[in-house]
Amino acid sequence: MMTTPPETVERFGYRQELQRSLGFADLLIYGLIFMVPIAPFGIFGDVFRASHGMVALAYLVGLVAMAFTALSYAQMARAFPMAGSVYTYAGRGIAAPVGFMAGWAILLDYILVPSLLYLIASAAMASFVPAIPIWGWLIIFVLLNTVVNYLGIQMTARVTKIMLIAELAVLAVFLVVGVVALASGKGQAETLSPVFDPNTFSWTVVFGAASVAVLSFLGFDGISTLAEENRESAARLGRSMVAALALVGVLFIAQTWVAALLTQNRAAVMTDDDVKNNAFYALAEFAGGPWLAILTAVATAVAWGFANSLVAQAATSRLLFAMGRDRQLPAFLAKVDPRHKVPVNATLVVALISLGVGLWMNTLDDGVSLLVSLVNFGAMTAFLLLHVAVVVHFVVRQRSRDLLAHLVAPAIGFAVLVFVVVNANVAAQVLGFIWLGIGLVVLGVSYLLGRRPSLPQEVS
């Protein structure tokens, strides 16, 4: 009797509809672009204020927190090599209803991330080209990314490679100019102050800042949504997540360390919102001149509005595709374009939601801050369920003896994330729990209608 190969979706009761064309390098680049190697440029002032100047330490703590989560993702990616990310892992690792809630929680992240990126990038571009208003740039970015994603995952992969090279080139320029400026005596603080300042240090401050800094790390998990487009082993998929997180973590810490040492008007960054919002570009101008401020600002706008939004839209559409395929969201989201092999309806839905939310948040005074907090809350909550799924699947069900990978690591990751969530923005906590409450209502209605969440059985 023939058996189904161990890493095909047919083994889990699905048909292979997406195109398997991505290798380890493609997945690694995808993860790096999703996290944006120059992401700290855009939120440097926020993290500086929250960490009281210990920006590099905030990113280091964020990296550690995400490292344990990446290890849990890698374990579950090998066990369940399918699209759907934490929705799939919690659903099959624990139970289908739990998977629905995990998917619902991370939807708060995935659905809102493109809107956040479009809004920040559009505001930046409107400051350079005021003839086109913010809403005009929003439409341009959404249309451009939707077309690229519709043309197929290989087109998306090719574009991300070009964008990654450009971002790394800009980062290299900043680091070289910044180090030269420090060597010439432009430093504004003690060398180790970005990682430890005895005058302001407290764990509450550090973890509160880390809850903002982790926004830059969100995206390595997006690699897991491409499991059904990965042409190599599921183990390689997991390793690409860990590698992408490690590489980008080093880049984040290096650039924020240099930036923190060059920050002028440190007291003003802590109190004046205008100074805070432009803190990075001001220090870039201080280090190298107006040209460096313009270069880093434009690079940030393009990276967030095009490159990052491009892969965020792709990841979100795969999550909607997986939940639609399992009838836990409307089934029309599972439609795959026969020519380009992409979830076409899910891609278009993400585009419409991103445009609508972006235009709405543009009318609010604190729209960006609210989106940042909600995105982080959704991701952290879903990651908590991921760690639980690792323990339940491997330790409880499989009786695994690898307790370091399947019990200790997820337990530490869970504890760190709980501390980050507790110290997160209060408004985000309230709205986040309201979102989870809505999810529970939706789940309850499904039960009342006799549509208990279920997943196809694994084929032996």
Coordinates of all heavy atoms in Angstrom, one line a residue, residues 324-391:
G324 N -10.0 30.0 5.3 CA -11.1 29.9 4.4 C -11.2 28.4 3.9 O -12.3 27.9 3.7
R325 N -10.1 27.8 3.6 CA -10.0 26.4 3.1 C -10.6 25.5 4.2 O -11.3 24.5 3.8 CB -8.6 26.0 2.8 CG -8.4 24.6 2.3 CD -7.0 24.3 1.9 NE -6.0 24.5 3.0 CZ -4.7 24.4 2.9 NH1 -4.2 24.2 1.7 NH2 -3.9 24.6 3.9
D326 N -10.5 25.8 5.5 CA -11.0 25.0 6.5 C -12.4 25.4 6.9 O -13.0 24.9 7.9 CB -10.1 25.0 7.8 CG -8.8 24.3 7.5 OD1 -8.7 23.4 6.7 OD2 -7.8 24.7 8.2
R327 N -13.0 26.4 6.2 CA -14.3 26.9 6.4 C -14.5 27.5 7.8 O -15.6 27.6 8.4 CB -15.4 25.7 6.3 CG -15.4 25.0 5.0 CD -15.8 26.0 3.8 NE -16.0 25.3 2.6 CZ -15.1 25.0 1.7 NH1 -13.9 25.4 1.8 NH2 -15.5 24.4 0.5
Q328 N -13.4 28.1 8.3 CA -13.4 28.8 9.5 C -13.5 30.3 9.3 O -13.6 31.1 10.2 CB -12.2 28.5 10.4 CG -12.3 27.0 10.8 CD -11.3 26.7 12.0 OE1 -11.0 27.5 12.8 NE2 -10.9 25.4 12.1
L329 N -13.4 30.7 8.0 CA -13.7 32.0 7.5 C -14.4 31.7 6.1 O -14.4 30.6 5.7 CB -12.4 32.8 7.2 CG -11.7 33.4 8.5 CD1 -10.5 34.2 8.1 CD2 -12.7 34.3 9.3
P330 N -15.1 32.7 5.5 CA -15.8 32.4 4.3 C -15.0 31.7 3.2 O -13.8 32.0 3.0 CB -16.1 33.9 3.8 CG -16.3 34.6 5.1 CD -15.2 34.1 6.0
A331 N -15.6 30.7 2.6 CA -14.9 29.8 1.7 C -14.3 30.5 0.5 O -13.3 30.0 -0.1 CB -15.8 28.6 1.3
F332 N -14.9 31.6 0.1 CA -14.4 32.2 -1.1 C -12.9 32.7 -1.0 O -12.3 33.0 -2.0 CB -15.3 33.4 -1.5 CG -15.0 34.7 -0.8 CD1 -14.2 35.7 -1.4 CD2 -15.6 35.0 0.4 CE1 -14.0 36.9 -0.8 CE2 -15.4 36.1 1.1 CZ -14.6 37.1 0.5
L333 N -12.5 32.8 0.3 CA -11.1 33.2 0.5 C -10.1 32.2 0.1 O -8.9 32.4 -0.1 CB -10.9 33.6 2.0 CG -11.6 34.8 2.5 CD1 -11.5 34.9 4.0 CD2 -11.1 36.1 1.9
A334 N -10.6 31.0 -0.1 CA -9.7 29.8 -0.5 C -9.5 29.7 -2.0 O -8.8 28.8 -2.5 CB -10.2 28.5 0.1
K335 N -10.1 30.6 -2.8 CA -10.0 30.5 -4.3 C -8.6 30.8 -4.7 O -8.0 31.8 -4.3 CB -11.0 31.5 -4.9 CG -10.9 31.4 -6.5 CD -11.8 32.4 -7.1 CE -11.6 32.5 -8.6 NZ -11.7 31.2 -9.3
V336 N -8.0 29.9 -5.5 CA -6.6 30.1 -6.0 C -6.7 30.4 -7.5 O -7.4 29.7 -8.3 CB -5.8 28.8 -5.8 CG1 -4.4 28.9 -6.5 CG2 -5.6 28.6 -4.3
D337 N -6.0 31.4 -7.9 CA -5.9 31.8 -9.4 C -5.2 30.7 -10.1 O -4.1 30.3 -9.8 CB -5.2 33.1 -9.6 CG -5.1 33.5 -11.0 OD1 -6.0 34.2 -11.4 OD2 -4.2 33.2 -11.7
P338 N -5.9 30.1 -11.1 CA -5.3 28.9 -11.8 C -4.0 29.2 -12.6 O -3.2 28.3 -12.8 CB -6.4 28.5 -12.8 CG -7.2 29.7 -13.0 CD -7.2 30.5 -11.7
R339 N -3.8 30.5 -13.0 CA -2.6 30.8 -13.8 C -1.5 31.2 -12.9 O -0.4 30.7 -13.0 CB -2.9 32.0 -14.7 CG -1.8 32.4 -15.5 CD -2.1 33.6 -16.4 NE -1.0 34.1 -17.2 CZ -1.0 35.2 -18.0 NH1 -2.1 35.9 -18.1 NH2 0.1 35.5 -18.6
H340 N -1.7 32.1 -11.9 CA -0.6 32.6 -11.1 C -0.4 31.8 -9.8 O 0.6 32.0 -9.1 CB -0.8 34.1 -10.8 CG -0.9 34.9 -12.0 ND1 0.2 35.1 -12.8 CD2 -1.9 35.6 -12.6 CE1 -0.2 35.9 -13.8 NE2 -1.4 36.2 -13.7
K341 N -1.3 30.9 -9.5 CA -1.2 30.0 -8.3 C -1.1 30.8 -7.0 O -0.3 30.6 -6.1 CB 0.0 29.1 -8.4 CG 0.0 28.2 -9.7 CD -1.2 27.3 -9.7 CE -1.2 26.3 -10.9 NZ -2.4 25.4 -10.9
V342 N -1.9 31.9 -6.9 CA -2.0 32.7 -5.7 C -3.4 32.7 -5.2 O -4.4 32.6 -6.0 CB -1.5 34.1 -5.9 CG1 0.0 34.1 -6.3 CG2 -2.3 34.8 -7.0
P343 N -3.6 32.9 -3.8 CA -5.0 33.0 -3.3 C -5.6 34.4 -3.7 O -5.4 35.4 -3.0 CB -4.8 32.9 -1.8 CG -3.4 33.3 -1.6 CD -2.6 32.9 -2.8
V344 N -6.2 34.5 -4.8 CA -6.5 35.7 -5.4 C -7.6 36.5 -4.6 O -7.4 37.7 -4.4 CB -7.0 35.5 -6.9 CG1 -8.2 34.6 -7.0 CG2 -7.4 36.9 -7.6
N345 N -8.6 35.9 -4.2 CA -9.7 36.6 -3.4 C -9.1 37.1 -2.1 O -9.4 38.2 -1.7 CB -10.9 35.7 -3.2 CG -11.7 35.5 -4.4 OD1 -11.5 36.1 -5.4 ND2 -12.6 34.5 -4.4
A346 N -8.3 36.3 -1.4 CA -7.7 36.7 -0.2 C -6.8 37.9 -0.4 O -6.7 38.8 0.5 CB -7.0 35.5 0.5
T347 N -6.0 37.9 -1.5 CA -5.1 39.0 -1.8 C -5.9 40.3 -2.0 O -5.5 41.4 -1.5 CB -4.3 38.7 -3.0 OG1 -3.5 37.5 -2.8 CG2 -3.4 39.8 -3.4
L348 N -7.0 40.2 -2.7 CA -7.8 41.4 -2.9 C -8.5 41.9 -1.7 O -8.6 43.1 -1.4 CB -8.9 41.1 -4.0 CG -8.3 40.8 -5.4 CD1 -9.5 40.4 -6.4 CD2 -7.6 42.0 -6.0
V349 N -9.0 41.0 -0.8 CA -9.6 41.4 0.4 C -8.6 42.1 1.3 O -8.9 43.1 1.9 CB -10.2 40.1 1.2 CG1 -10.5 40.4 2.6 CG2 -11.4 39.6 0.4
V350 N -7.4 41.6 1.4 CA -6.4 42.2 2.2 C -6.1 43.7 1.7 O -6.0 44.6 2.5 CB -5.0 41.4 2.2 CG1 -3.9 42.2 2.9 CG2 -5.2 40.1 2.9
A351 N -6.1 43.8 0.4 CA -5.8 45.1 -0.2 C -6.9 46.1 0.2 O -6.7 47.2 0.6 CB -5.7 45.0 -1.7
L352 N -8.2 45.7 0.1 CA -9.3 46.5 0.4 C -9.3 46.9 1.9 O -9.6 48.1 2.2 CB -10.6 45.8 0.0 CG -10.9 45.7 -1.5 CD1 -12.1 44.8 -1.8 CD2 -11.0 47.0 -2.2
I353 N -9.1 45.9 2.8 CA -9.1 46.2 4.2 C -7.9 47.2 4.5 O -8.1 48.1 5.3 CB -8.9 44.9 5.0 CG1 -10.2 44.0 4.9 CG2 -8.7 45.2 6.5 CD1 -10.1 42.7 5.5
S354 N -6.7 46.9 4.0 CA -5.6 47.8 4.2 C -5.9 49.2 3.8 O -5.6 50.2 4.5 CB -4.4 47.3 3.5 OG -4.0 46.0 3.9
L355 N -6.5 49.4 2.7 CA -6.8 50.7 2.2 C -7.8 51.4 3.1 O -7.7 52.6 3.5 CB -7.3 50.6 0.7 CG -7.7 52.0 0.0 CD1 -6.5 52.9 0.0 CD2 -8.2 51.7 -1.3
G356 N -8.9 50.7 3.4 CA -9.9 51.2 4.3 C -9.5 51.6 5.6 O -9.7 52.7 6.1
V357 N -8.7 50.7 6.3 CA -8.2 51.0 7.6 C -7.2 52.1 7.6 O -7.2 53.0 8.4 CB -7.6 49.7 8.3 CG1 -6.9 50.1 9.6 CG2 -8.7 48.7 8.5
G358 N -6.3 52.1 6.6 CA -5.3 53.2 6.4 C -6.0 54.5 6.3 O -5.6 55.5 6.9
L359 N -7.0 54.6 5.4 CA -7.7 55.9 5.2 C -8.4 56.4 6.5 O -8.4 57.6 6.8 CB -8.7 55.8 4.1 CG -8.1 55.6 2.7 CD1 -9.2 55.3 1.6 CD2 -7.2 56.8 2.3
W360 N -9.0 55.4 7.2 CA -9.7 55.8 8.4 C -8.7 56.2 9.5 O -8.9 57.3 10.1 CB -10.5 54.5 8.9 CG -11.1 54.8 10.3 CD1 -11.7 55.9 10.7 CD2 -11.2 53.8 11.4 NE1 -12.2 55.7 12.0 CE2 -11.9 54.4 12.4 CE3 -10.7 52.5 11.5 CZ2 -12.1 53.8 13.6 CZ3 -11.0 51.9 12.7 CH2 -11.7 52.5 13.8
M361 N -7.6 55.5 9.7 CA -6.6 55.8 10.8 C -5.9 57.2 10.4 O -5.5 57.9 11.3 CB -5.6 54.7 10.9 CG -6.1 53.5 11.6 SD -6.6 53.8 13.3 CE -7.4 52.3 13.8
N362 N -5.9 57.5 9.2 CA -5.3 58.8 8.8 C -6.1 60.0 9.3 O -5.5 61.1 9.4 CB -5.2 58.9 7.2 CG -4.5 60.1 6.8 OD1 -3.4 60.5 7.3 ND2 -5.1 60.8 5.8
T363 N -7.4 59.7 9.6 CA -8.2 60.8 10.2 C -8.0 61.0 11.7 O -8.6 61.9 12.2 CB -9.7 60.6 9.8 OG1 -10.1 59.4 10.5 CG2 -9.9 60.4 8.3
L364 N -7.4 60.0 12.3 CA -7.2 60.1 13.8 C -5.9 60.7 14.2 O -4.9 60.5 13.5 CB -7.3 58.7 14.4 CG -8.6 57.9 14.1 CD1 -8.6 56.5 14.7 CD2 -9.8 58.6 14.5
D365 N -5.8 61.4 15.3 CA -4.6 62.0 15.7 C -3.5 61.0 16.2 O -2.3 61.2 16.0 CB -4.9 63.0 16.9 CG -5.6 64.2 16.5 OD1 -5.6 64.6 15.3 OD2 -6.4 64.8 17.3
D366 N -4.0 59.9 16.8 CA -3.1 58.9 17.3 C -3.2 57.6 16.6 O -3.0 56.5 17.1 CB -3.3 58.7 18.8 CG -4.7 58.2 19.1 OD1 -5.6 58.3 18.2 OD2 -5.0 57.7 20.2
G367 N -3.6 57.6 15.3 CA -3.9 56.4 14.5 C -2.7 55.5 14.4 O -2.8 54.3 14.6
V368 N -1.5 56.0 14.2 CA -0.3 55.2 14.1 C 0.0 54.5 15.4 O 0.3 53.3 15.4 CB 0.9 56.0 13.6 CG1 2.2 55.2 13.7 CG2 0.7 56.5 12.2
S369 N 0.0 55.2 16.5 CA 0.3 54.6 17.8 C -0.7 53.5 18.2 O -0.3 52.5 18.7 CB 0.3 55.7 18.9 OG 1.3 56.7 18.7
L370 N -1.9 53.8 17.8 CA -3.0 52.7 18.1 C -2.7 51.5 17.3 O -2.8 50.4 17.8 CB -4.4 53.3 17.9 CG -5.6 52.4 18.1 CD1 -5.6 52.0 19.6 CD2 -6.9 53.1 17.8
L371 N -2.4 51.7 16.0 CA -2.2 50.5 15.2 C -1.0 49.7 15.6 O -1.0 48.5 15.7 CB -2.0 51.0 13.7 CG -3.2 51.3 12.9 CD1 -2.8 51.9 11.5 CD2 -4.0 50.0 12.7
V372 N 0.1 50.4 16.0 CA 1.3 49.7 16.5 C 1.0 48.9 17.7 O 1.4 47.7 17.8 CB 2.4 50.8 16.9 CG1 3.5 50.1 17.7 CG2 3.0 51.4 15.7
S373 N 0.2 49.4 18.7 CA -0.1 48.7 19.9 C -1.0 47.5 19.6 O -0.8 46.4 20.2 CB -0.8 49.6 20.9 OG 0.1 50.7 21.2
L374 N -1.9 47.7 18.7 CA -2.9 46.6 18.4 C -2.1 45.4 17.7 O -2.4 44.3 17.9 CB -4.0 47.1 17.6 CG -5.1 47.9 18.3 CD1 -6.1 48.5 17.3 CD2 -5.8 47.1 19.3
V375 N -1.3 45.8 16.7 CA -0.5 44.8 16.0 C 0.3 44.0 17.0 O 0.4 42.7 16.9 CB 0.4 45.5 14.9 CG1 1.5 44.5 14.5 CG2 -0.4 46.0 13.8
N376 N 1.0 44.6 17.9 CA 1.8 43.9 18.8 C 1.0 43.0 19.7 O 1.4 41.9 20.0 CB 2.6 44.9 19.7 CG 3.8 45.5 19.0 OD1 4.2 45.0 17.9 ND2 4.4 46.5 19.5
F377 N -0.1 43.5 20.2 CA -1.0 42.7 21.1 C -1.5 41.4 20.4 O -1.4 40.4 21.0 CB -2.2 43.5 21.6 CG -3.1 42.8 22.5 CD1 -2.8 42.9 23.9 CD2 -4.1 42.0 22.1 CE1 -3.6 42.2 24.8 CE2 -4.9 41.3 23.0 CZ -4.7 41.4 24.4
G378 N -1.9 41.6 19.2 CA -2.4 40.4 18.4 C -1.3 39.4 18.2 O -1.6 38.2 18.4
A379 N -0.1 39.8 17.9 CA 1.0 38.9 17.6 C 1.4 38.2 18.9 O 1.6 37.0 18.9 CB 2.2 39.6 17.0
M380 N 1.6 39.0 20.0 CA 2.0 38.4 21.3 C 1.0 37.4 21.8 O 1.4 36.3 22.3 CB 2.2 39.5 22.3 CG 3.3 40.5 22.0 SD 5.0 39.8 21.7 CE 5.0 40.0 19.9
T381 N -0.3 37.7 21.7 CA -1.3 36.7 22.1 C -1.3 35.4 21.3 O -1.3 34.3 21.9 CB -2.7 37.4 22.0 OG1 -2.7 38.6 22.7 CG2 -3.8 36.4 22.6
A382 N -1.1 35.5 20.0 CA -1.1 34.3 19.2 C 0.2 33.5 19.5 O 0.2 32.3 19.5 CB -1.1 34.7 17.7
F383 N 1.3 34.2 19.8 CA 2.6 33.5 20.1 C 2.4 32.8 21.4 O 3.1 31.7 21.5 CB 3.7 34.5 20.1 CG 4.1 35.2 18.8 CD1 4.9 36.3 18.8 CD2 3.6 34.7 17.6 CE1 5.3 36.9 17.6 CE2 3.9 35.3 16.4 CZ 4.8 36.4 16.4
L384 N 1.7 33.3 22.3 CA 1.5 32.6 23.6 C 0.8 31.2 23.3 O 1.2 30.2 23.9 CB 0.6 33.4 24.5 CG 1.3 34.6 25.2 CD1 0.2 35.5 25.9 CD2 2.4 34.3 26.1
L385 N -0.2 31.2 22.5 CA -0.9 29.9 22.1 C 0.1 29.0 21.4 O 0.0 27.8 21.5 CB -2.1 30.2 21.3 CG -3.3 30.9 22.1 CD1 -4.4 31.2 21.1 CD2 -3.8 29.9 23.2
L386 N 1.0 29.6 20.6 CA 2.0 28.8 19.8 C 2.8 28.0 20.8 O 3.0 26.8 20.6 CB 2.9 29.7 19.0 CG 4.1 29.0 18.4 CD1 3.7 28.1 17.3 CD2 5.1 30.1 17.9
H387 N 3.3 28.6 21.9 CA 4.2 28.0 22.8 C 3.4 26.8 23.5 O 4.0 25.8 23.8 CB 4.7 29.0 23.9 CG 5.7 29.9 23.3 ND1 6.9 29.5 22.7 CD2 5.8 31.3 23.3 CE1 7.6 30.5 22.3 NE2 6.9 31.6 22.7
V388 N 2.1 27.1 23.9 CA 1.3 26.1 24.5 C 1.2 24.9 23.5 O 1.2 23.7 23.9 CB 0.0 26.6 24.9 CG1 -1.0 25.5 25.4 CG2 0.1 27.7 25.9
A389 N 1.0 25.2 22.2 CA 0.8 24.1 21.2 C 2.0 23.2 21.2 O 1.9 22.0 21.0 CB 0.5 24.7 19.9
V390 N 3.2 23.8 21.3 CA 4.4 23.0 21.2 C 4.4 22.0 22.4 O 4.7 20.8 22.2 CB 5.7 23.9 21.3 CG1 7.0 23.0 21.4 CG2 5.8 24.7 20.1
V391 N 4.1 22.4 23.6 CA 4.1 21.6 24.7 C 3.1 20.5 24.6 O 3.4 19.3 24.9 CB 3.9 22.4 26.0 CG1 3.8 21.4 27.2 CG2 5.1 23.4 26.2

